[in-house]
Amino acid sequence: MTGYTLYGSEMSYFSGKARAYLRWKGIEFTEIAPSPELMKAEILPHIGWPVIPVLKTPDAEYIQDTADIIAHFEGTSDENSAMPESPLQKFVTYLIQLFADEWMTLPAMHYRWNHNEEWIYGEFGKNAAPDGTPEEQYEAGKAVGSRFKGFVPMLGITPETAPGIEKAYEQFLADLSAHLEKLPYLFGTRASYADFALIGPLFAHQYRDKFSGEHMKRTAPSVADYVERVLAGDGQDGELIPLDDIPKTLLPILRVALTEHLPVLINTNEQFREWAASAEPKSEVPRGVGMSPFTTGGAEGVIASRTFSLLRLQDALDTYQLMMPSDKRRANAFLSAVGGDALKTFRIEPRLTRRNFKLALA
Ligand SMILES: N[C@@H](CCC(=O)N[C@@H](CS)C(=O)NCC(=O)O)C(=O)O
């Protein structure tokens, strides 16, 4: 057998991230949308729970989790690496991934479920009942979609927080538009890992969903253009900005990201530590360990304390803690400038890993 198969969908957040990376990297792959039959035949037996994207290698190895999919290829070639090699850019890349994967889920899910609900049922239905009538597809799509809609309250998305979520997203679009006036990608004229991470929240829910896409194209056309370029796998030939610099235009985005997300991460880490104190070594970690208060765009709410976010943070902290003193001084100045001082002493203990495609104690 040759070639890779990506089990993924146009409607899925993390499929877009994997797809953009694979195209940019020049990997030949076929993407297959998971029908209910495929879920049963391929994904459940090999992964153990219903999730996409999943990459099947030519040797029939199954990889789940976009970071692991990317790492599978990054390990094998040093030229053409998606991850910046210099320490501060690498650290900031992991922070952007944390924000894109774990905090931008709020606007993505808010816009999908509060502005595109009827439309998205029809889209889900195209995968769930490909040969059905539009009515059958709608019903089948509603059954699939209701599982995802069920995540909405856990993400703190309520009528009270919705205005804040929209305000924060509008600000993000304005900040990213300002950055794109200076540079075509986050770290230069070359696309890199952080750009692929942003495709997660920006493509399926905010560009492809009908209402959200119209809104993005109208209010932030340069962001819509960016989404198209990154998703197409463009930006292979440029350069990352030299000397391990972080573009100043990224600072407003990171400042909001850390200011809003860090208090939730700190609280989640405390709840995780309490849970781990009485857990067996190497146990599987629950997806949630309680609830955390949060603020976004000035609105206050309560969100599930999601342990997976700590795994994404752990990658950033590992990079930070391994820095040479001169790099760490630059990282500290950067953290102070973006409201990230708490990361300097942040410790995730016990460490996290993934085992059998689930989060587990290392
Ligand atoms: N951290 C995972 C997340 C994958 C994920 O959450 N996929 C969504 C669709 S975009 C899903 O299938 N979720 C099912 C669930 O969370 O139960 C990754 O990076 O691959």
Side-chain angles (χ1 to χ4, degrees), residues 77-205:
S77 136
D78 292 330
E79 309 147 25
N80 191 23
S81 173
M83 179 57 84
E85 277 167 26
S86 52
L88 187 53
Q89 288 183 355
K90 185 172 174 183
F91 175 49
V92 176
T93 293
Y94 279 128
L95 291 178
I96 291 172
Q97 174 171 247
L98 169 67
F99 171 61
D101 283 15
E102 300 293 314
W103 197 244
M104 293 282 283
T105 40
L106 273 71
M109 293 290 276
H110 161 68
Y111 280 92
R112 171 163 290 177
W113 292 107
N114 290 326
H115 293 297
N116 296 278
E117 179 173 354
E118 294 303 310
W119 181 84
I120 197 67
Y121 287 142
E123 294 295 296
F124 278 132
K126 289 178 190 164
N127 280 353
D131 303 322
T133 63
E135 293 72 28
E136 285 163 352
Q137 290 190 340
Y138 176 88
E139 286 310 320
K142 202 164 180 176
V144 175
S146 56
R147 170 154 174 258
F148 292 102
K149 192 181 177 191
F151 294 144
V152 166
M154 301 307 282
L155 287 168
I157 301 164
T158 64
E160 289 70 42
T161 58
I165 292 170
E166 295 198 355
K167 190 169 165 209
Y169 176 64
E170 299 282 354
Q171 186 61 51
F172 170 82
L173 289 180
D175 290 342
L176 184 56
S177 301
H179 173 82
L180 292 170
E181 278 177 28
K182 307 269 183 216
L183 286 172
Y185 299 101
L186 294 185
F187 286 102
T189 53
R190 173 184 171 87
S192 66
Y193 194 118
D195 295 291
F196 310 129
L198 269 192
I199 285 301
L202 290 184
F203 173 64
H205 297 62

